[in-house]
Amino acid sequence: MIVSTRGRYALRVMLYLARSCGDNYIPLKDIAAAEDISLKYLEGIMSSLSKAKLVDGAHGKGGGYKLAKSPDKYTVGDNLRLTERSLTPVDCPEFENEPCKHAEVCLTLPMWLKLDRMINEFFDGITLSDLIEKREIQ
């Protein structure tokens, strides 16, 4: 599993918004400058985050973005599944809910399924608050 630049940037943006948590909207250009992300690239990321209702956006003077919920309500898993579509460790039809013709005889499938569960549980167990407060990751 390789997390894309889009996934890493989206997580950085969410952390930036979490650290700046409050009722004020932060202009997109300020986020782009603070995180050293191209404004054009960031627009696409913010569009995805907004559509998924992870952030609230406002247009016009005083507009920008802010978190829709408190930082402890967001998991890294939710963020990465949105941007990466999947955290699956292997390209196996079983992970896409399609029957695999080898599933019944595949000796490695249980291992891949367990790894998939471990990855999702790991990332779902980490909130933005955990990262901000530099809590030990278990």
Side-chain angles (χ1 to χ4, degrees):
M1 174 190 79
I2 296 176
V3 177
S4 70
T5 301
R6 183 177 177 83
R8 292 191 318 270
Y9 284 5
L11 187 56
R12 281 176 38 198
V13 167
M14 293 294 287
L15 286 166
Y16 179 79
L17 292 174
R19 287 190 316 267
S20 307
C21 201
D23 292 329
N24 296 329
Y25 289 92
I26 301 171
L28 191 60
K29 64 178 179 53
D30 293 355
I31 299 168
E35 290 300 317
D36 194 26
I37 301 171
S38 149
L39 188 58
K40 187 79 170 160
Y41 195 61
L42 187 56
E43 286 172 351
I45 292 171
M46 297 311 291
S47 175
S48 296
L49 295 173
S50 184
K51 284 179 187 170
K53 303 209 184 300
L54 296 181
V55 298
D56 288 330
H59 298 287
K61 185 174 170 124
Y65 292 92
K66 66 178 182 176
L67 294 182
K69 305 178 277 190
S70 65
D72 63 321
K73 303 294 184 201
Y74 294 93
T75 69
V76 172
D78 290 337
N79 191 289
L80 291 177
R81 276 188 295 276
L82 173 69
T83 55
E84 303 301 316
R85 302 284 184 241
S86 171
L87 298 176
T88 348
V90 292
D91 186 22
C92 176
E94 180 69 19
F95 289 96
E96 300 300 322
N97 297 318
E98 296 175 18
C100 173
K101 64 182 180 178
H102 303 288
E104 290 184 25
V105 295
C106 181
L107 298 176
T108 62
L109 182 59
M111 173 185 68
W112 296 128
L113 290 171
K114 183 174 181 178
L115 180 58
D116 183 58
R117 281 192 308 275
M118 290 170 61
I119 289 169
N120 281 281
E121 288 172 7
F122 175 76
F123 286 128
D124 287 340
I126 304 169
T127 66
L128 295 182
S129 291
D130 293 333
L131 295 175
I132 292 166
E133 296 169 16
K134 298 180 182 177
R135 293 187 188 124
E136 185 176 338
I137 305 300
Q138 300 288 330

